[in-house]
Amino acid sequence: MKNQIRTAAVAFSILAIGYYLWHGLTSDDMFAWVGWEMSLPIIALTVVPIAFAFSGDGIMSALTGNNSSEYRNALMGLGTVESVRNTGVSLNDQPQVRIDFRVEGVDGKVFPSYAKMIVPLTELALLRTGVVLPVRYLPGQTDRVEVDLSGDSSAAQNAMNQALIRKGITTQAKLDIARDGISAQAVVSALAVPGEIRDGYPRLDLTLIVTRPDGSTFEARTEKFLPPTQVSQVQIGRVVRVHYLPGREQELVIALAVNTGP
């Protein structure tokens, strides 16, 4: 879409200026150069910069609320924010920012990339180093990505789950429990850190007091690998959401928000 808009604008500019010159050079009218045709190059010189500006990275997405056609059905990856900086461009007083990512693709390979997007001022503070966002990328053109705007939370969650499985952070069995198990609240009663780390995620051994839906309780022990920013969510005394299977209550999993900080 971006290339189509820019090509159309340039083509119109060439035709408009070409017609104006042809008309002026071939007409016997002494006012040929100052007729209505003179408006054509003026319009052309106005349209081209506007077309290029509004078809810039992130501008069309901000106007439509969707990813560009090129990226709409592209592969889903996970982008970890490494830096954010203002580009100096704005739309309706909302700044365009460049976000540098470390992206993990569907095949597990990691590559550096970036995206440009319009971000409301009220959401800028959410774009901090370490935040994980679903992104769309094109194989063979991984230098640039687009933050996923589809709203397809299931696709984003699946990409996150597969990445965690590859790293040994979780297992498919635990994901099945999270999907099919009973949801309940639990209180962290004990916490131990054995020192094992996987992909920057320290292992935590937790003892939980779980409250069943009928109000009765049971004690369970589980291990969980967490990013350092989420360790504060499982300190002793904290209330967490868990899932477990009836008859297999010791096989429970803890559900935490992905990008929740301390």
Side-chain angles (χ1 to χ4, degrees), residues 73-99:
N73 296 311
L75 296 176
M76 177 82 80
L78 294 174
T80 301
V81 176
E82 294 195 317
S83 66
V84 180
R85 62 179 183 271
N86 201 314
T87 66
V89 176
S90 63
L91 178 67
N92 294 330
D93 295 326
Q94 307 296 331
Q96 181 195 61
V97 297
R98 171 181 167 131
I99 309 171

Short mmCIF file of all heavy atoms in Angstrom, two decimals, residues 73-99:
data_model
loop_
_atom_site.label_atom_id
_atom_site.label_comp_id
_atom_site.label_asym_id
_atom_site.label_seq_id
_atom_site.Cartn_x
_atom_site.Cartn_y
_atom_site.Cartn_z
N ASN A 73 -0.69 -10.24 7.25
CA ASN A 73 -0.70 -11.69 7.42
C ASN A 73 0.71 -12.25 7.53
O ASN A 73 0.94 -13.43 7.24
CB ASN A 73 -1.44 -12.35 6.25
CG ASN A 73 -2.91 -11.96 6.21
OD1 ASN A 73 -3.61 -12.03 7.22
ND2 ASN A 73 -3.38 -11.52 5.05
N ALA A 74 1.65 -11.41 7.93
CA ALA A 74 3.04 -11.84 8.07
C ALA A 74 3.19 -12.73 9.30
O ALA A 74 2.27 -12.88 10.11
CB ALA A 74 3.95 -10.63 8.16
N LEU A 75 4.37 -13.32 9.44
CA LEU A 75 4.64 -14.21 10.58
C LEU A 75 4.61 -13.44 11.90
O LEU A 75 4.97 -12.26 11.95
CB LEU A 75 6.00 -14.88 10.40
CG LEU A 75 6.14 -15.82 9.20
CD1 LEU A 75 7.57 -16.35 9.11
CD2 LEU A 75 5.16 -16.97 9.29
N MET A 76 4.16 -14.12 12.93
CA MET A 76 4.10 -13.51 14.27
C MET A 76 5.35 -13.86 15.05
O MET A 76 5.74 -15.03 15.15
CB MET A 76 2.87 -14.03 15.02
CG MET A 76 2.74 -13.51 16.44
SD MET A 76 1.99 -11.87 16.52
CE MET A 76 0.25 -12.31 16.34
N GLY A 77 6.00 -12.86 15.60
CA GLY A 77 7.16 -13.06 16.45
C GLY A 77 6.99 -12.31 17.76
O GLY A 77 5.99 -11.61 17.96
N LEU A 78 7.97 -12.45 18.62
CA LEU A 78 7.95 -11.75 19.91
C LEU A 78 9.08 -10.74 19.93
O LEU A 78 10.25 -11.11 19.79
CB LEU A 78 8.10 -12.74 21.06
CG LEU A 78 6.95 -13.73 21.24
CD1 LEU A 78 7.31 -14.73 22.33
CD2 LEU A 78 5.66 -13.01 21.59
N GLY A 79 8.74 -9.48 20.10
CA GLY A 79 9.75 -8.42 20.13
C GLY A 79 9.97 -7.91 21.54
O GLY A 79 9.02 -7.45 22.19
N THR A 80 11.20 -7.99 22.01
CA THR A 80 11.56 -7.43 23.32
C THR A 80 12.14 -6.04 23.11
O THR A 80 13.12 -5.88 22.37
CB THR A 80 12.58 -8.33 24.04
OG1 THR A 80 12.04 -9.64 24.21
CG2 THR A 80 12.92 -7.75 25.42
N VAL A 81 11.53 -5.05 23.73
CA VAL A 81 11.96 -3.67 23.55
C VAL A 81 13.36 -3.46 24.12
O VAL A 81 13.61 -3.80 25.28
CB VAL A 81 10.97 -2.69 24.21
CG1 VAL A 81 11.47 -1.25 24.10
CG2 VAL A 81 9.59 -2.83 23.59
N GLU A 82 14.25 -2.90 23.30
CA GLU A 82 15.60 -2.59 23.75
C GLU A 82 15.80 -1.08 23.91
O GLU A 82 16.56 -0.64 24.77
CB GLU A 82 16.64 -3.15 22.77
CG GLU A 82 16.65 -4.68 22.74
CD GLU A 82 17.87 -5.24 22.07
OE1 GLU A 82 18.27 -4.70 21.01
OE2 GLU A 82 18.45 -6.22 22.60
N SER A 83 15.13 -0.29 23.08
CA SER A 83 15.22 1.17 23.22
C SER A 83 14.06 1.81 22.47
O SER A 83 13.49 1.21 21.55
CB SER A 83 16.55 1.71 22.68
OG SER A 83 16.65 1.52 21.28
N VAL A 84 13.71 3.02 22.88
CA VAL A 84 12.64 3.79 22.25
C VAL A 84 13.11 5.22 22.11
O VAL A 84 13.63 5.81 23.06
CB VAL A 84 11.34 3.77 23.09
CG1 VAL A 84 10.24 4.57 22.40
CG2 VAL A 84 10.88 2.33 23.32
N ARG A 85 12.95 5.80 20.92
CA ARG A 85 13.32 7.20 20.74
C ARG A 85 12.38 7.89 19.77
O ARG A 85 11.83 7.26 18.86
CB ARG A 85 14.78 7.34 20.28
CG ARG A 85 15.12 6.70 18.95
CD ARG A 85 16.60 6.95 18.65
NE ARG A 85 17.02 6.46 17.36
CZ ARG A 85 17.48 5.24 17.13
NH1 ARG A 85 17.56 4.38 18.12
NH2 ARG A 85 17.84 4.86 15.91
N ASN A 86 12.21 9.17 19.99
CA ASN A 86 11.31 9.98 19.17
C ASN A 86 11.94 10.24 17.80
O ASN A 86 13.12 10.54 17.70
CB ASN A 86 11.02 11.31 19.88
CG ASN A 86 9.75 11.95 19.37
OD1 ASN A 86 9.53 12.04 18.17
ND2 ASN A 86 8.92 12.42 20.28
N THR A 87 11.13 10.16 16.74
CA THR A 87 11.64 10.40 15.39
C THR A 87 11.52 11.87 14.98
O THR A 87 12.06 12.26 13.96
CB THR A 87 10.90 9.54 14.35
OG1 THR A 87 9.52 9.96 14.29
CG2 THR A 87 10.97 8.07 14.72
N GLY A 88 10.77 12.66 15.74
CA GLY A 88 10.55 14.06 15.38
C GLY A 88 9.29 14.26 14.56
O GLY A 88 8.88 15.39 14.30
N VAL A 89 8.63 13.16 14.16
CA VAL A 89 7.39 13.22 13.38
C VAL A 89 6.22 13.06 14.34
O VAL A 89 6.32 12.33 15.34
CB VAL A 89 7.36 12.12 12.31
CG1 VAL A 89 6.03 12.11 11.56
CG2 VAL A 89 8.52 12.29 11.33
N SER A 90 5.12 13.73 14.07
CA SER A 90 3.94 13.57 14.91
C SER A 90 2.68 13.59 14.05
O SER A 90 2.68 14.10 12.93
CB SER A 90 3.86 14.69 15.96
OG SER A 90 3.72 15.95 15.34
N LEU A 91 1.61 13.02 14.56
CA LEU A 91 0.31 13.00 13.91
C LEU A 91 -0.73 13.36 14.95
O LEU A 91 -0.90 12.66 15.94
CB LEU A 91 0.03 11.61 13.32
CG LEU A 91 -1.32 11.42 12.63
CD1 LEU A 91 -1.41 12.27 11.37
CD2 LEU A 91 -1.56 9.95 12.30
N ASN A 92 -1.42 14.47 14.71
CA ASN A 92 -2.40 14.96 15.68
C ASN A 92 -1.79 15.10 17.08
O ASN A 92 -2.39 14.71 18.08
CB ASN A 92 -3.61 14.03 15.73
CG ASN A 92 -4.39 14.02 14.45
OD1 ASN A 92 -4.45 15.01 13.72
ND2 ASN A 92 -5.00 12.89 14.12
N ASP A 93 -0.58 15.63 17.10
CA ASP A 93 0.16 15.87 18.35
C ASP A 93 0.58 14.59 19.06
O ASP A 93 1.02 14.64 20.21
CB ASP A 93 -0.66 16.75 19.32
CG ASP A 93 -0.89 18.15 18.77
OD1 ASP A 93 0.02 18.66 18.08
OD2 ASP A 93 -1.97 18.71 19.01
N GLN A 94 0.42 13.44 18.38
CA GLN A 94 0.90 12.18 18.94
C GLN A 94 2.24 11.84 18.29
O GLN A 94 2.34 11.83 17.06
CB GLN A 94 -0.10 11.04 18.70
CG GLN A 94 -1.52 11.34 19.15
CD GLN A 94 -1.62 11.54 20.65
OE1 GLN A 94 -0.85 10.97 21.42
NE2 GLN A 94 -2.55 12.39 21.07
N PRO A 95 3.29 11.56 19.05
CA PRO A 95 4.62 11.37 18.47
C PRO A 95 4.79 10.02 17.78
O PRO A 95 4.20 9.02 18.17
CB PRO A 95 5.54 11.47 19.69
CG PRO A 95 4.70 10.97 20.82
CD PRO A 95 3.30 11.45 20.52
N GLN A 96 5.60 10.04 16.74
CA GLN A 96 6.05 8.79 16.14
C GLN A 96 7.37 8.40 16.81
O GLN A 96 8.25 9.24 16.97
CB GLN A 96 6.28 8.95 14.64
CG GLN A 96 6.72 7.65 13.95
CD GLN A 96 7.28 7.89 12.56
OE1 GLN A 96 8.28 8.59 12.40
NE2 GLN A 96 6.64 7.32 11.55
N VAL A 97 7.47 7.15 17.21
CA VAL A 97 8.69 6.68 17.86
C VAL A 97 9.29 5.54 17.07
O VAL A 97 8.59 4.82 16.35
CB VAL A 97 8.42 6.22 19.32
CG1 VAL A 97 7.94 7.38 20.17
CG2 VAL A 97 7.45 5.05 19.36
N ARG A 98 10.59 5.39 17.20
CA ARG A 98 11.28 4.23 16.67
C ARG A 98 11.57 3.30 17.84
O ARG A 98 12.17 3.70 18.84
CB ARG A 98 12.59 4.63 15.99
CG ARG A 98 13.45 3.41 15.61
CD ARG A 98 14.74 3.79 14.96
NE ARG A 98 15.65 2.65 14.89
CZ ARG A 98 16.29 2.26 13.79
NH1 ARG A 98 16.14 2.93 12.67
NH2 ARG A 98 17.10 1.22 13.82
N ILE A 99 11.14 2.06 17.71
CA ILE A 99 11.34 1.06 18.76
C ILE A 99 12.33 0.02 18.24
O ILE A 99 12.10 -0.63 17.22
CB ILE A 99 10.02 0.36 19.12
CG1 ILE A 99 8.92 1.38 19.40
CG2 ILE A 99 10.21 -0.57 20.32
CD1 ILE A 99 7.54 0.77 19.56
#
